[in-house]
Every structure is written in C-alpha cells, then in structure tokens.
Amino acid sequence: ANLVDLAVSNTLHKNLLSFNSSFYLITSVQERSFYGRDTNFEPGGGIVICKTVKSLLVALYSHPTLPCQVIPY
C-alpha cells in the first residue's frame, strides 16, 4: 500500500514507513495527523503527515529538532 492509502484508511501507524530513503516509525496519531521519528542511528529528526480535505501534507524535520518540539499538545 502507498502512503496516501495508508493515511486515508488511518493505518499509517501500523507500518514502518519508508520515505525519502529513510525509515520512520509513527509514534503519535491525532485525528488528522501522524508524527513519526527517524529510525536511523542519529537521534532527532522525523516526519509529520497531515491530512486535509483534498491533500496530504508531508514535512520532514532533521536533527537537532526533537519530536517534543513538533507534536502539539
């Protein structure tokens, strides 16, 4: 399945996501967004995926940004 299908069916967090030659583990799921961390050896960095009505927004952040700085509470 591709990224769009997994996000629309809300099953993105059940897979190890491969994107832009890195692997991401989804660690937080909200109603319209997913947050994941990069599983590479370097700490920090990850991915944010937001669903809108007609599109899927994907943002990558890198070290030294930490997940606690990206995920809204």
Side-chain angles (χ1 to χ4, degrees), residues 5 17 41 43 48 50 59 66 70:
D5 292 336
L17 178 62
F41 297 107
V48 178
C50 298
L66 298 174
V70 178

Side-chain angles (χ1 to χ4, degrees), residues 7-72:
V8 169
S9 65
N10 285 326
T11 58
L12 194 59
H13 61 285
K14 296 181 180 182
N15 298 284
L16 187 61
L17 178 62
S18 174
F19 188 80
N20 200 28
S21 73
S22 290
F23 290 97
Y24 298 92
L25 178 65
I26 301 300
T27 56
S28 181
V29 178
Q30 296 191 4
E31 185 178 347
R32 300 190 66 79
S33 56
F34 300 88
Y35 303 86
R37 67 176 182 87
D38 193 336
T39 60
N40 291 338
F41 297 107
E42 187 176 311
I47 191 167
V48 178
I49 302 168
C50 298
K51 297 187 300 184
T52 67
V53 175
K54 292 187 177 186
S55 62
L56 192 65
L57 305 173
V58 178
L60 301 175
Y61 60 93
S62 61
H63 178 71
T65 306
L66 298 174
C68 62
Q69 296 171 306
V70 178
I71 299 173

